[in-house]
Amino acid sequence: MTEDTVDGVFTPMNHQEKEFFPVELTDLHDEIGRKVEGWQLVRRVDTGMPLHVHTASYRLIPFEENVSSFEDSLHKSGLDLTDMRVDSDMSHNGCRHFRQYVLPSYREQIRGEDDISLRFLMWDSYDGSTRWITRGGFYQWVCANLAVTGEDILNISRKHTQNFDNKVDHEKITDTVSDYTRQVELYRKFAGMELTDIKATEFFEKMSPTKKLADHLTNKWVHQADEWGRTLWDVYSVLTNYSTHGETGKDKANTIAQRQEFVRKIVDSKPFKELALAA
């Protein structure tokens, strides 16, 4: 297992925050030193820096423990992990963690030189911005696009409460291969579904929350159409290109993760299914 970036994607935005650091829960005190009942503080042990304030129902599980639990199940799953690539990043001063696993042994051709590989994405937080989530998806080699799918491959979501459990049934991970294979066949069908520029443009306008994004997606569609094609798969590729490579500002890791969820919801939506029927 190698830990690095995949073709420049998910490059750590803050190298000094990339490594895990010790955290603890402490009592919260007011400005004159009185304990604030019902509240607790998450802080870094090494620097003393406060990270977030939570209610008493919050349960702190360090990022590395959740990672270790998932990876233990991954190794027990029987999946071929040869040359697996792993990459981590953090944002918001280490409050949010993002991790991905790309499995080249499950590389499949969608069309021509356009291949994808099975991928798992994990994200977690100390600031309550997200649950501990692990999703299945794919990595698109030709353009280094990242995507998560709906519940068809893997979808684990657990809230940091007192009943939090980070155990993952390794058989669920084993089953991702057959689920991923079915998704591959679906994507190959997408690659054969031709669309007009008008249909694609109307779809981007309908699904984009802003005109700026609609214009960005449409321009990407036009620029890549002559090289790759005008199919439903190309619509999907335009969306994953935006989620992976679109402008992000300083908070790159968090933005990429949020955009992948945004794209997942689009692809699982009724308008996308209607677009498929129109192809």
Side-chain angles (χ1 to χ4, degrees):
M1 178 172 65
T2 59
E3 181 152 355
D4 58 2
T5 58
V6 182
D7 297 341
V9 176
F10 235 50
T11 302
M13 53 165 274
N14 189 333
H15 287 267
Q16 65 266 30
E17 293 291 354
K18 181 181 178 183
E19 300 300 328
F20 295 125
F21 49 81
V23 292
E24 66 177 2
L25 275 178
T26 64
D27 292 334
L28 183 66
H29 296 87
D30 63 19
E31 64 276 7
I32 61 174
R34 294 175 302 188
K35 180 180 176 181
V36 181
E37 297 295 339
W39 295 90
Q40 49 191 345
L41 175 70
V42 181
R43 73 180 188 95
R44 292 185 62 151
V45 175
D46 55 346
T47 65
M49 177 185 294
L51 299 177
H52 199 71
V53 175
H54 289 279
T55 64
S57 64
Y58 175 80
R59 183 180 177 189
L60 175 64
I61 304 293
F63 292 150
E64 59 268 32
E65 290 187 19
N66 291 334
V67 167
S68 178
S69 178
F70 174 75
E71 292 185 355
D72 180 61
S73 295
L74 183 59
H75 283 279
K76 290 178 180 177
S77 70
L79 268 62
D80 187 348
L81 307 182
T82 304
D83 296 326
M84 179 172 71
R85 300 188 184 187
V86 183
D87 185 57
S88 290
D89 198 3
M90 295 186 191
S91 71
H92 293 75
N93 295 316
C95 284
R96 302 177 188 180
H97 176 236
F98 309 90
R99 191 170 179 89
Q100 68 170 343
Y101 305 81
V102 176
L103 280 60
S105 295
Y106 299 94
R107 186 164 180 163
E108 296 285 350
Q109 181 190 52
I110 302 301
R111 63 177 178 193
E113 298 179 355
D114 194 351
D115 299 346
I116 66 173
S117 281
L118 177 62
R119 168 179 174 261
F120 298 108
L121 174 66
M122 177 190 300
W123 55 100
D124 203 352
S125 74
Y126 292 138
D127 62 5
S129 60
T130 180
R131 301 181 175 198
W132 177 52
I133 297 174
T134 301
R135 285 263 172 82
F138 66 83
Y139 174 79
Q140 190 175 7
W141 292 88
V142 70
C143 50
N145 288 350
L146 304 172
V148 292
T149 62
E151 299 183 5
D152 295 319
I153 294 182
L154 184 69
N155 187 350
I156 299 169
S157 177
R158 294 173 186 170
K159 194 173 182 179
H160 287 271
T161 62
Q162 293 299 318
N163 296 322
F164 180 86
D165 180 9
N166 62 10
K167 297 296 186 292
V168 178
D169 184 351
H170 67 270
E171 293 183 354
K172 286 187 176 181
I173 300 178
T174 304
D175 292 342
T176 61
V177 175
S178 57
D179 296 333
Y180 167 69
T181 300
R182 285 193 290 270
Q183 288 294 113
V184 168
E185 292 304 317
L186 178 63
Y187 298 151
R188 287 171 178 159
K189 291 179 181 179
F190 285 178
M193 296 178 178
E194 297 286 341
L195 290 171
T196 64
D197 290 340
I198 292 177
K199 285 289 185 183
T201 299
E202 289 176 345
F203 176 75
F204 293 138
E205 290 176 347
K206 183 175 184 178
M207 303 307 295
S208 299
T210 66
K211 184 178 184 303
K212 180 180 179 180
L213 177 57
D215 290 345
H216 171 84
L217 297 175
T218 299
N219 287 334
K220 185 63 182 177
W221 166 270
V222 171
H223 289 150
Q224 76 172 33
D226 290 338
E227 181 178 2
W228 294 108
R230 291 176 170 84
T231 69
L232 190 62
W233 177 247
D234 295 296
V235 168
Y236 200 172
S237 294
V238 166
L239 292 170
T240 57
N241 178 275
Y242 160 70
S243 66
T244 310
H245 304 292
E247 294 182 7
T248 60
K250 291 182 179 180
D251 193 13
K252 180 178 179 181
N254 188 58
T255 302
I256 288 176
Q258 290 181 342
R259 285 180 179 173
Q260 286 177 82
E261 274 294 283
F262 170 69
V263 170
R264 179 191 66 80
K265 290 177 181 179
I266 290 178
V267 176
D268 287 344
S269 70
K270 182 179 178 180
F272 188 86
K273 292 178 174 63
E274 292 173 344
L275 186 66
L277 292 175

